[in-house]
Structure formats: C-alpha cells, structure tokens
Amino acid sequence: ATKLFASDTEVLARYFFEGDRNVDVVAAYDHSFVVMKRVWMVFNAVFIAAQAWLVYRLHSSAGTPRQLNETSNKYEALLAAGAFVLFNLTWRSQIVIGLGCDQFDYFPSFFYLLGLWLLVEGKPRGAAAITAVGALIKIYPGLLVPLAWAKEGQPKRAAIYTAIVVVLCLAAAAPFLFVNADIFMTTYQWSGTRPGWESVWIYPEK
C-alpha cells in the first residue's frame, strides 16, 4: 500500500512535473488525493461551523442594550447563523451535495470574521493579531485595518492596531523573503496578471 506524505513525495513529483503515469505513480496520486479530500472535508465543516458561531455572536452583539436582551434578537442571530451554514453546505463547499476541494477561502474568511468580532468586542490588539494571520493567508482580511481606524476613533489606538498587523506580517514573511524572495513574491506577481473578469474592477464596466 502506498503511504501519504514522505514516501509519496517522489512519485507525486513525477506525476505533476514529469507527466509520469505508470501504475505506482498513479496509485500514489490517487491515494494521496483521496486522503486529502477527506481531510479537506473535515476542515470545511469545522471552519463553516466556526464561522456560523461568529455570525451568531456578531449579530447578537449588534443593537442597543435593550435589544440585546430581547429573545427576538437571539432568534434573528440563530437564523443568520443557520442561513450561513445552509448556504455554504449546499453551494460551493459541496459537503452535502458532493465532496469538493474548492473552498480555500474558508480559512481567511474565518480569520476575517474572528478579527471583526474581536474588534466589535473591544479587543483591538487581539483583532490585530488575527488580522495579520488572515492577511498572510489571503489579502482581504486586511480590510479590517480601515475598519479599525473607523471604529477606534482615536488615531493613536488605530495606529497601534496597524503597527501590530504590519509587524506580524513582516515577521512571518521575513524568513521566506530571506531564503528566496523571488519565489515568495511569485504569488503576488501571478495575482497581478489575472484577467480583468477575475477582478472587482470589471463590474463597474458592466
């Protein structure tokens, strides 16, 4: 039986980079892909559930103190969380309608919602750390930085938030930039060459 990870590394490299399609290589690829899909399904389920909880918490913390104590507000929060789960379980994640591996965005979107919740809860430093983690995975959790400036009001507090995000991102990126900056920057260069229909800028034109 083939093994995942270490023993499959060489044959998987031959499959992807050399086009090798002999029996052993294909078996290693098939085995690894099946295991990867199962692990991915678990990750999808965990991150969907975690984000549904964050949707509930964000909705529950919205409104006036009187509204927060109303039963109807909690029902609305449950409805929002349930709608989030239902939408994701029956659309792109394909956990219910079939196993798919198309939702890497559950990782950064989780950190975005977690950072937003911490920001709403008045924990800007924790939110800044989470924002940095999310932005390292994919850039859009960085949108929490201008939100922090809008919420904090005081330039000094917002500047501290921004500094934490920048320092953590640079600290995490520094080893990769040191080892091979060209490889590290490849993903950003590739993103810059993506066609217009994959960009938000195409929509105003339509």
Side-chain angles (χ1 to χ4, degrees), residues 47 51 54 84 103-115 134 137-138 140-141:
F47 276 87
Q51 289 178 86
L54 288 168
F84 177 88
Q103 275 306 304
F104 170 78
D105 279 279
Y106 284 134
F107 292 80
S109 62
F110 165 75
F111 289 105
Y112 176 83
L113 287 175
L114 180 57
I137 298 172
K138 207 163 185 178
Y140 67 80

Side-chain angles (χ1 to χ4, degrees), residues 66-84:
R66 181 178 178 181
Q67 290 173 327
L68 296 180
N69 293 325
E70 291 180 356
T71 304
S72 60
N73 186 66
K74 294 181 179 180
Y75 283 142
E76 290 174 3
L78 283 172
L79 180 61
F84 177 88

Side-chain angles (χ1 to χ4, degrees), residues 9-186:
T9 301
E10 181 181 348
V11 288
L12 287 175
R14 297 208 309 267
Y15 183 95
F16 285 109
F17 301 115
E18 300 175 13
D20 192 340
R21 295 295 185 271
N22 69 44
V23 175
D24 291 337
V25 173
V26 172
Y29 170 78
D30 290 343
H31 171 75
S32 299
F33 191 70
V34 168
V35 173
M36 183 268 290
K37 289 179 74 174
R38 290 173 181 170
V39 172
W40 196 260
M41 183 177 69
V42 173
F43 271 105
N44 273 353
V46 169
F47 276 87
I48 287 173
Q51 289 178 86
W53 180 82
L54 288 168
V55 168
Y56 174 82
R57 296 295 301 174
L58 283 165
H59 192 288
S60 298
S61 60
T64 65
R66 181 178 178 181
Q67 290 173 327
L68 296 180
N69 293 325
E70 291 180 356
T71 304
S72 60
N73 186 66
K74 294 181 179 180
Y75 283 142
E76 290 174 3
L78 283 172
L79 180 61
F84 177 88
V85 171
L86 181 62
F87 178 77
N88 283 283
L89 289 184
T90 56
W91 185 55
R92 294 287 293 176
S93 71
Q94 300 181 4
I95 294 175
V96 171
I97 61 175
L99 184 58
C101 300
D102 59 342
Q103 275 306 304
F104 170 78
D105 279 279
Y106 284 134
F107 292 80
S109 62
F110 165 75
F111 289 105
Y112 176 83
L113 287 175
L114 180 57
L116 179 60
W117 178 62
L118 290 172
L119 198 59
V120 170
E121 291 292 307
K123 301 175 181 177
R125 294 187 180 182
I130 293 300
T131 300
V133 174
L136 286 165
I137 298 172
K138 207 163 185 178
I139 193 76
Y140 67 80
L143 291 171
L144 289 171
V145 173
L147 288 178
W149 278 84
K151 181 183 183 299
E152 291 301 313
Q154 301 177 12
K156 182 178 179 180
R157 289 171 61 87
I160 292 174
Y161 181 99
T162 305
I164 292 174
V165 173
V166 171
V167 168
L168 289 178
C169 285
L170 290 177
F176 300 98
L177 290 169
F178 178 77
V179 172
N180 196 325
D182 292 336
I183 292 295
F184 182 81
M185 296 304 296
T186 298

